[in-house]
Amino acid sequence: MSPAGLYVHIPFCRQKCAYCNFYSIVLEKDPSPFIHALLKELSFYADEFECFDTIYIGGGTPSILPVQSIADILTAVGRNYTILPEPEITVEVNPGDAESAYLESLRLSGVNRINIGIQSFDDRLLRFLGRRHDHRQAGAAIENAIAAGFDNIGLDLIYGIPGQTFGLWQETLSLALSFRPHHLSCYQLTLEADTSLGQQFADNLFDLPGDAAQAEFFFTTADFLENSGYIHYEVSNFARSASLFSRHNQKYWQHQPYLGLGPSAHSFCRGKRWWNHRSVEKYVDALLNGETPVEDAEILTADQLRTEALFLGFRTRWGIDLCDFEEKCHFNLLDEKRDALQRLAAAGLIEISGGRIRPTRTGLAVADQLALL
Amino acid sequence: MEHIRNFSIIAHIDHGKSTLADRLIQHTGVVNDRNFKDQILDNMEIERERGITIKSQAICLPYKARDGKTYALNLIDTPGHVDFSYEVSRSLASCEGVLLLIDAAQGVQAQTLANLYLAMEHDLEIIPVINKIDLPSADVERVIGQIETELGLDADSHLQCSAKEGTGIEEILETVVRRIPPPAGDPAAPLAALIFDAHYDPFRGTVIYCRIFAGQLKAGDIIRLMFNNALYRVEEVGHFLLNREKRQNLSAGEVGYIIAGVKTVSDVRTGDTITLENRPCEKPLPGFKEVKPVVYASIYPIASDDYEDLADSLEKFKLNDASFIYQKDSSVALGQGFRCGFLGLLHLDIVQERLEREYDLSIILSVPSVRFRFTLKDGAVLEVDNPAHYPDPIAIAKSEEPYIRAVMMMPDRYLGAVMKLCMEKRGANSTLTYTGPGRAELIFEMPLAEVIYDFYDRFKSVTQGYGSFDYDVIDYRESQLVLLDILVNGEKVDALSQIVHRERARARGLQACERLKEEIPRQMFKIAIQGVIGGEIISRTTISPFRKDVTAKCYGGDITRKRKLLEKQKKGKKRMKMIGSVSIPQSAFLAVLKSDAS
């Protein structure tokens, strides 16, 4: 089995962003009962997971925690599991928390990759998104990260925000590139019903860019970043070189095993997926009682495994390895779906060569539909 | 037998048959109030959803009359829509009398008359009942006048009720007992039982619904089905209360069911006579008039593997819907299927839905067509109800299409709009008669093809629901016909072809393209839809492909959710027919016939 990835979910924020539907609560009291619970959960899975080569601390807002807590978590991981040599250890950082001293300590505690939630350099759009930082803090955060010695810095950006013209988006992208980040995630704004923006949209308070405009955003972004030397390796992800691809996130797209700790975190191992309670309270209570905080689990059927392998594979530029797919899903794609694949290839949506089916950039934009072939 | 009354309620659609049936059932206490639900005889889901009766239903009501005796009143509830008059006619063959229900506000309508004539053909006792007298717009005096003048019945014989409020119900039951004669027929004579309906029960085999005209029948008897001499041993006989109620025997005059382990579904034919093997009756009872379908369409399984299932289901379905006919057919685009005949578009719609619900089938129906007639230059005459069999145009000497005589009744303020609609539908030779103050009867001769083409919906809408409509096919008339083909991405989809009048062809072609554009969801490729007549493209639309359809974020917690969404989409896609590279939904085939106005 390929080495597993470890995800740790820190479910706290200073305030909820208007678009975000990841599980988190506003931190009002001491987080240490949660940290204790988390350390306890860490000790539960030594039988299923021996070693990790990536660790990703996300949220929520992990940078809301003192560096000591992050260090404690990493130490505990090392105590319970083997961390393979040259691991990728990422922490998500909020621009408002990215003080030089904080970042430096983070790096000294073993973190070697940080991902900064910039989202935009336009203050008006940042306010619309409910972010608490402004463009100055965003720039300072990146500079501080560079100064702290990080040599793998990722930035998150959002496009397709109401009121955002192509011009404004281009400006944000150019500003981001001026810092030469190693990694960029450019997400189309997606509204979920259970968020404040989702509700406002349902109440017709604003409009989203139409279908054609969304496609335009997607393709101009890819063009612009590729011309600037970035590799478009997943629908929303770009990196300056293959060695800078997010190693942790690739595990999700390749059905490799991962262990998710913390409320709402998902784990996957040998065709089984399970997920934790989406509530800090339930999560902590379960662990206090010595139980795993798992809410539910599913064992994927062959059909489900196949569907997932398809839609996950088509999200990435390396696509689907046919041998690998047949071995894992017991399904010969080339034989069973010959006509459909030929049509997709003729339409310029995929390329079939070297034992792989790769989406073209046009195909990447409709990856979910490709998976329905 | 003195204590049996077999009767039916007939009326124009929406005049309150099912509601009156509900009240009669409640009044006789067959169901207690707790178990009662509205439209209780309409036990098909689809009947309740649409608020209409499709199938006739029989129920035996025990009623203690004022004379102190208890009677068995066999009530048969019947459908009202013009497409189902065949159901009515079959039910009437089992009755001695009818309640002719008339809406106090709407008065006599086209189906009131049509159903009255059916009852008269069967020589039945007719009791006019004015319903909905509680309505503010009720005009009882006017309706009484209509009973005399338009129906030619004795107005003094009428009853009044409000089925909704439950008034006048007892008087109706008393009148049924007093005026409708008990059934005739000799219980000692050889058995003669008329099959008027049947359905397939997966546990018991075919359940036969019959009316005993002579003789007796009990479990253990060996029966003979007279048309093919098939023999079966009777397992059970009984009456219908709300469910089947087992009885010792069935005797002359009674209506009931027979279970005889009939597994060969095609042995049972509605209209056939059942007799006893050891003491047969001399000749079969007069059966039912054979119905001629007016609309044809092909049914195909969405997945070709389901063909055998479809064949099996159609056989069972036919048992319960004698007016439905079918034979094998095949399509270049859709594969193996069946060509089917229907009594009208509503009938077609209902059949499609029943097949899907009751037999769990996913099917596609081709664009409906009427039966055209072509005389070829070599003198041969072809009847074509499937556009796929349209002859080579060079060989055609004469084309003809069926015409109907449409009878429409309405308040005269709608005359203008209705006339305009009929002219648009190539109507001719109209006659207008005033049947009473402000009420007009309009008769038009129209091509049947125009009537199946969204006429009924538009008629209802221009008369705001106050108009009624009935028709008979009268003859074939010469007409300029052409074949309109539809190409999807350059591939001809034969199930979308239509035979149309030359002058209408261009408009139909445009309409078909527009409708298909609305019905076919966007896909990953550009889809070109073209209307073609004789090689010439007369209309064209394109459906642009998705340019972007991908989830922005997909990490650990998003995967299960995303998969579930895709599984749902996949399911939806399975309900579509792949033609070449294009998935076409079921709805597209019928939508081709719909115009903007409907």
Side-chain angles (χ1 to χ4, degrees), chain A residues 253-313:
Chain A
W253 305 321
Q254 294 177 353
H255 262 163
Q256 284 168 13
Y258 47 87
L259 173 62
L261 304 177
S264 83
H266 284 57
S267 305
F268 180 77
C269 185
R270 296 193 184 88
K272 182 179 167 191
R273 184 173 290 121
W274 63 95
W275 49 94
N276 287 346
H277 294 299
R278 206 179 148 94
S279 147
V280 176
E281 205 183 325
K282 274 192 188 171
Y283 171 84
V284 172
D285 282 352
L287 286 156
L288 276 179
N289 292 330
E291 296 158 10
T292 59
V294 174
E295 178 187 273
D296 209 350
E298 60 180 5
I299 292 171
L300 300 187
T301 64
D303 225 34
Q304 291 173 329
L305 207 62
R306 197 179 303 153
T307 304
E308 288 193 0
L310 284 174
F311 82 76
L312 292 171

Side-chain angles (χ1 to χ4, degrees), chain B residues 222-364:
Chain B
I222 306 289
I223 52 169
R224 177 202 292 275
L225 301 167
M226 290 186 78
F227 95 95
N228 70 347
N229 289 321
L231 298 179
Y232 289 99
R233 178 186 294 277
V234 175
E235 293 170 4
E236 181 182 320
V237 297
H239 284 176
F240 307 104
L241 273 95
L242 268 185
N243 300 305
R244 294 197 294 260
E245 201 85 3
K246 198 168 157 180
R247 295 284 290 258
Q248 284 297 322
N249 65 351
L250 287 178
S251 176
E254 291 186 304
V255 172
Y257 68 89
I258 304 172
I259 293 172
V262 181
K263 297 280 188 245
T264 313
V265 171
S266 56
D267 279 352
V268 177
R269 287 202 178 175
T270 307
D272 189 20
T273 302
I274 297 175
T275 190
L276 288 180
E277 165 68 354
N278 55 9
R279 193 180 163 223
C281 60
E282 260 177 48
K283 56 179 201 300
L285 297 161
F288 304 112
K289 192 170 65 176
E290 205 183 311
V291 276
K292 288 226 170 65
V294 292
V295 181
Y296 299 82
S298 299
I299 295 182
Y300 305 95
I302 287 183
S304 44
D305 300 350
D306 292 343
Y307 176 77
E308 291 302 325
D309 257 4
L310 175 61
D312 193 45
S313 303
L314 288 181
E315 195 185 6
K316 286 174 185 159
F317 180 79
K318 161 109 183 126
L319 248 191
N320 197 237
D321 184 349
S323 59
F324 172 73
I325 62 160
Y326 67 98
Q327 64 185 58
K328 280 189 181 167
D329 181 39
S330 75
S331 148
V332 180
L334 299 174
Q336 293 286 312
F338 296 91
R339 191 72 186 169
C340 309
F342 305 91
L343 301 179
L345 271 193
L346 178 65
H347 184 214
L348 174 148
D349 203 22
I350 298 289
V351 170
Q352 168 176 5
E353 213 168 316
R354 285 188 65 193
L355 282 171
E356 298 212 321
R357 289 191 190 194
E358 294 168 29
Y359 297 93
D360 196 22
L361 293 169
S362 290
I363 54 174
I364 291 273

Side-chain angles (χ1 to χ4, degrees), chain B residues 81 83 295 344-346 348-349 367-370 404 408 417-418 420-426 446-463 469 471 498 504 507-508 511-512 515 518 589-598:
Chain B
H81 190 277
D83 277 12
V295 181
L345 271 193
L346 178 65
L348 174 148
D349 203 22
V367 175
S369 170
V370 300
I404 60 158
M408 292 159 280
V418 171
K420 186 162 160 269
L421 174 63
C422 292
M423 305 295 271
E424 188 193 311
K425 298 290 188 186
R426 296 191 278 137
M446 283 193 276
L448 176 60
E450 295 286 351
V451 174
I452 67 163
Y453 181 74
D454 82 6
F455 178 82
Y456 192 66
D457 289 344
R458 290 185 58 194
F459 175 77
K460 278 273 166 202
S461 110
V462 300
T463 59
F469 165 78
Y471 70 87
Q498 305 173 56
R504 292 281 186 277
R508 285 285 187 92
Q511 213 148 49
R515 284 300 91 79
E518 285 162 19
F589 293 85
L590 284 177
V592 166
L593 279 192
K594 299 216 171 85
S595 69
D596 297 323
S598 60

Side-chain angles (χ1 to χ4, degrees), chain A residues 187-188 192 211 218 236-237 253 266 273 298 300 304 307-308 311 315 343 347 365 368-369 372, chain B residues 522 525 546-557 560-563 566-567 569-570 573 581:
Chain A
Y187 299 112
Q188 177 189 317
E192 304 291 348
D211 210 51
F218 179 83
S236 305
N237 286 292
W253 305 321
H266 284 57
R273 184 173 290 121
E298 60 180 5
L300 300 187
Q304 291 173 329
T307 304
E308 288 193 0
F311 82 76
R315 294 185 68 82
R343 275 198 298 272
D368 289 354
Q369 286 292 318
L372 290 172
Chain B
R522 291 207 293 158
F525 316 91
F546 289 115
R547 286 195 60 210
K548 183 145 189 293
D549 181 24
V550 61
T551 320
K553 279 189 180 185
C554 197
Y555 302 114
T560 300
R561 186 164 77 126
K562 182 70 216 167
R563 189 195 68 234
L566 283 175
E567 280 167 348
Q569 269 184 283
K570 245 181 160 172
K573 213 176 152 191
S581 59

Side-chain angles (χ1 to χ4, degrees), chain B residues 38-213:
Chain B
D38 284 344
Q39 254 186 289
I40 194 158
L41 287 179
D42 292 340
N43 46 25
M44 273 193 267
E45 218 176 298
I46 175 169
E47 291 182 311
R48 305 186 145 271
E49 277 170 22
R50 299 195 181 200
I52 57 171
T53 303
I54 296 162
K55 285 288 298 176
S56 297
Q57 290 288 340
I59 183 170
C60 179
L61 307 173
Y63 176 63
K64 189 161 193 249
R66 288 184 197 142
D67 63 11
K69 295 174 195 152
T70 299
Y71 292 84
L73 309 181
N74 289 311
L75 160 66
I76 298 163
D77 187 21
T78 62
H81 190 277
V82 53
D83 277 12
F84 302 110
S85 30
Y86 178 65
E87 280 285 323
V88 179
S89 124
R90 288 189 300 126
S91 308
L92 295 187
S94 308
C95 296
E96 278 74 38
V98 294
L99 299 174
L100 177 63
L101 206 57
I102 309 160
D103 182 310
Q106 289 192 21
V108 170
Q109 297 290 326
Q111 284 291 306
T112 316
L113 277 170
N115 284 323
L116 171 68
Y117 296 147
L118 280 177
M120 286 174 161
E121 263 177 49
H122 287 89
D123 221 3
L124 304 182
E125 176 68 29
I126 295 157
I127 304 171
V129 180
I130 304 176
N131 187 22
K132 307 195 188 179
I133 53 169
D134 58 301
L135 286 182
S137 56
D139 186 350
V140 177
E141 285 312 309
R142 185 178 67 102
V143 179
I144 294 174
Q146 287 180 335
I147 292 175
E148 287 266 358
T149 55
E150 292 185 40
L151 304 182
L153 298 173
D154 178 8
D156 292 342
S157 69
H158 88 274
L159 300 173
Q160 294 182 15
C161 75
S162 160
K164 193 170 138 237
E165 313 252 289
T167 56
I169 304 302
E170 170 120 1
E171 206 42 49
I172 291 175
L173 289 166
E174 282 297 320
T175 310
V176 165
V177 169
R178 212 171 49 244
R179 296 243 312 263
I180 295 178
D186 181 1
L191 175 70
L194 182 70
I195 303 177
F196 68 87
D197 203 355
H199 82 266
Y200 189 81
D201 179 320
F203 303 106
R204 308 295 311 266
T206 304
V207 180
I208 301 169
Y209 300 13
C210 64
R211 155 81 197 258
I212 314 278
F213 280 89

